[in-house]
């Protein structure tokens, strides 16, 4: 049993910042890649950022330079620092954990950026 819990979402103005956090708990036997995805109303879920166990990160092109993904292996947590937010960043953000080729998802946290 693995559970992921996101937090940190909210309402901000264009140019503002938010930091999302995700904590993994339960019977996790191994560390795995962690990632953030997002889904806007009427849109498909899309990849935002991922970070490997060793700290190698990859980003969606549109968030490069604005978002930073970080992890704490001791706690198996992952954060997403979001700066210079834009209205197009508005979405529900989901935490993802990939362990032994299995994917686990959080319930999501709402991020709304006003124009």
């Amino acid at each position: 049993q693995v559970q992921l819990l996101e937090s940190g979402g909210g309402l901000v103005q264009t140019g503002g910042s938010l930091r999302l956090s995700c904590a993994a708990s339960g019977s996790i036997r191994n560390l795995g890649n962690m990632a953030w995805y997002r889904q806007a109303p009427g849109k498909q879920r899309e990849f935002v950022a991922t970070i490997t166990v060793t700290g190698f990160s990859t980003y969606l092109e549109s968030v490069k330079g604005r978002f930073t993904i970080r992890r704490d292996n001791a706690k198996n947590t992952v954060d997403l620092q979001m700066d210079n937010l834009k209205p197009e960043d508005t979405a529900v953000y989901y935490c993802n954990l990939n362990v032994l080729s299995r994917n686990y998802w959080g319930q999501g946290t709402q991020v709304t950026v006003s124009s």
Side-chain angles (χ1 to χ4, degrees), residues 14-67:
T14 297
S17 298
L18 285 172
R19 184 174 70 244
L20 307 183
S21 296
C22 173
S25 62
S27 57
I28 304 174
R29 298 182 60 192
N30 294 280
L31 296 175
N33 293 346
M34 301 188 78
W36 288 94
Y37 289 73
R38 66 187 182 188
Q39 186 168 22
K43 304 287 187 179
Q44 294 188 41
R45 185 175 299 185
E46 69 175 348
F47 162 83
V48 176
T50 188
I51 185 166
T52 68
V53 174
T54 55
F56 188 86
S57 59
T58 305
Y59 297 90
L60 173 68
E61 183 66 28
S62 64
V63 308
K64 287 182 178 178
R66 300 190 298 118
F67 291 10

Side-chain angles (χ1 to χ4, degrees), residues 1-3 24-30 76 97 99-100 102 104:
Q1 183 180 13
V2 175
Q3 294 181 331
S25 62
S27 57
I28 304 174
R29 298 182 60 192
N30 294 280
N76 221 5
L97 167 66
V99 178
L100 301 176
R102 300 185 68 178
Y104 302 90

Side-chain angles (χ1 to χ4, degrees), residues 7-8 13 21 25 33 43 52-53 59 62 67 70 73 77-79 83 86 88 92 99-101 104 106 110 114:
S7 63
Q13 294 182 338
S21 296
S25 62
N33 293 346
K43 304 287 187 179
T52 68
V53 174
Y59 297 90
S62 64
F67 291 10
R70 301 183 180 93
N73 288 342
T77 60
V78 61
D79 292 349
D83 298 317
K86 304 176 180 180
E88 51 262 45
V92 176
V99 178
L100 301 176
S101 299
Y104 302 90
Q110 177 70 49
S114 64

